[in-house]
Amino acid sequence: MIKLIASDMDGTLLNTKHKIDKETVSAIKRAEKAGIIFAISTGREYDTVEPLLMENNIRCQCVLMNGAEYRDEDGNILEEINIELETATKIINILQREKVSARIFTNKGIYTTDTKEEALKEMAYRTLSFNPELTPEEALELAKVQPYFVQLNYISDLDKFLSSGIEIRKFVAFHKDIELINKMKKVIGELKGIAVSSSFRDNIEITDITAQKGIILAKVAEKMGFERDEVLVLGDSFNDYSMFTEFKESVAMGNAIPEIKEIAKYITDTNDNLGVAKAIYRVLEEQK
């Protein structure tokens, strides 16, 4: 019997307009009414998750930054896993050497070693990647007001930043050169104690090796007293892979990458066609 449902956000819970469909919210509420706990398991940081939860009146626990942070229903941090300072320095040096723009997620906000002009260029590319119907000019204007850009902090003195006692949870980089991104995955993946994944073909996400969705979700389930087969996970991309290897009750989205579909127990509809809601309703029907 399923007692916990954990869902990825981008490409899974969220449709291509980056919203949660009303029918999906209804399905979540029905599951909760039936005694099933619903949780988020995402690569996002809390500041971009909380507004979506509040907008849809969803109160739940969250695995964040691919597993680098875990928060309760009220947003309190229960666990965080940071990248060691020496390793973080090596990652920054590699990214700078290859001129790959990256955002550094910390306990004190999001930082970058880029200039404001470089950061805006990267944000415009990312905006266009998410919204291909826009013109480059429209993407640039939209990028200027994106929280990821507006709230960005700039590092002027790297040594001072690294010695300030700041905690580095995760690195995220996007680049239109897929070959370069794949090269970065290989090079950084060779560093000891590091997990490399991605939500999209054109990005790289870096955390401590123990900060993976599946690993921290397994800890959460154990603390709740749930068996592995009482947890259902939903996802679509590489950064969901650890959830699918940790839990056999796994559901790949119709729009998931082939690697996720291959190891999933079930395949539901796409994120634009209520895939999460349909998976939840299937569980509720089977557990009547």
Side-chain angles (χ1 to χ4, degrees):
M1 178 176 284
I2 300 301
K3 296 180 179 178
L4 170 65
I5 294 175
S7 175
D8 169 52
M9 291 193 78
D10 292 286
T12 303
L13 184 66
L14 305 182
N15 58 32
T16 51
K17 294 181 180 178
H18 314 297
K19 296 289 184 180
I20 306 175
D21 290 296
K22 289 183 179 180
E23 184 61 34
T24 302
V25 176
S26 296
I28 292 169
K29 298 296 183 184
R30 281 185 58 183
E32 291 176 334
K33 192 174 180 180
I36 299 172
I37 296 171
F38 178 79
I40 294 291
S41 186
T42 180
R44 291 180 175 231
E45 80 289 0
Y46 192 66
D47 287 347
T48 59
V49 172
E50 184 186 28
L52 287 162
L53 296 181
M54 293 183 68
E55 178 184 328
N56 293 283
N57 193 28
I58 296 173
R59 186 172 175 271
C60 68
Q61 299 181 26
C62 299
V63 171
L64 304 156
M65 302 185 206
N66 289 354
E69 196 173 274
Y70 172 59
R71 299 199 186 211
D72 66 15
E73 293 89 345
D74 297 315
N76 300 309
I77 298 176
L78 300 183
E79 186 171 350
E80 70 264 0
I81 302 171
N82 302 309
I83 298 173
E84 291 185 5
L85 186 62
E86 182 180 346
T87 305
T89 304
K90 290 179 181 178
I91 293 169
I92 291 171
N93 289 337
I94 291 170
L95 292 169
Q96 286 187 318
R97 185 177 70 226
E98 297 293 339
K99 295 182 172 56
V100 174
S101 176
R103 278 167 283 127
I104 306 169
F105 292 74
T106 77
N107 62 322
K108 297 179 180 177
I110 307 173
Y111 287 77
T112 182
T113 56
D114 290 338
T115 64
K116 194 169 185 177
E117 182 181 9
E118 289 170 335
L120 179 59
K121 184 178 179 182
E122 190 268 349
M123 192 69 242
Y125 166 74
R126 188 180 182 206
T127 302
L128 192 59
S129 179
F130 275 103
N131 305 277
E133 73 279 3
L134 297 177
T135 65
E137 293 75 22
E138 289 171 335
L140 181 63
E141 290 306 308
L142 186 57
K144 291 177 181 177
V145 297
Q146 292 294 316
Y148 274 127
F149 177 69
V150 175
Q151 298 170 8
L152 201 55
N153 300 292
Y154 298 90
I155 302 170
S156 56
D157 187 326
L158 184 57
D159 291 334
K160 186 177 179 181
F161 169 75
L162 292 171
S163 62
S164 66
I166 202 160
E167 298 172 353
I168 296 176
R169 309 254 208 268
K170 179 184 175 185
F171 289 86
V172 174
F174 281 81
H175 202 284
K176 61 184 177 182
D177 188 338
I178 306 299
E179 287 187 10
L180 179 57
I181 285 292
N182 289 336
K183 176 185 176 183
M184 289 298 89
K185 288 178 182 177
K186 186 175 186 300
V187 172
I188 295 174
E190 291 174 353
L191 294 177
K192 186 178 179 181
I194 285 299
V196 174
S197 63
S198 58
S199 297
F200 311 96
R201 289 179 64 250
D202 58 355
N203 94 318
I204 179 172
E205 301 176 10
I206 308 158
T207 60
D208 182 86
I209 197 165
T210 61
Q212 298 184 56
K213 290 183 179 184
I215 294 174
I216 196 166
L217 194 58
K219 289 182 183 178
V220 171
E222 186 177 351
K223 286 180 181 178
M224 289 180 176
F226 298 155
E227 299 293 333
R228 294 292 180 92
D229 59 3
E230 293 176 326
V231 179
L232 180 81
V233 296
L234 299 106
D236 74 304
S237 197
F238 287 113
N239 68 349
D240 299 311
Y241 200 90
S242 62
M243 293 200 298
F244 282 63
T245 54
E246 289 284 342
F247 301 97
K248 66 179 183 180
E249 296 299 319
S250 55
V251 181
M253 302 301 292
N255 51 283
I257 60 172
E259 291 86 345
I260 291 295
K261 287 182 176 180
E262 284 173 9
I263 62 172
K265 184 174 182 179
Y266 309 102
I267 297 177
T268 186
D269 215 324
T270 67
N271 62 324
D272 274 335
N273 202 26
L274 303 174
V276 170
K278 290 175 180 178
I280 292 174
Y281 288 141
R282 181 189 63 79
V283 169
L284 293 174
E285 185 64 28
E286 289 179 355
Q287 296 187 176
K288 270 186 178 179

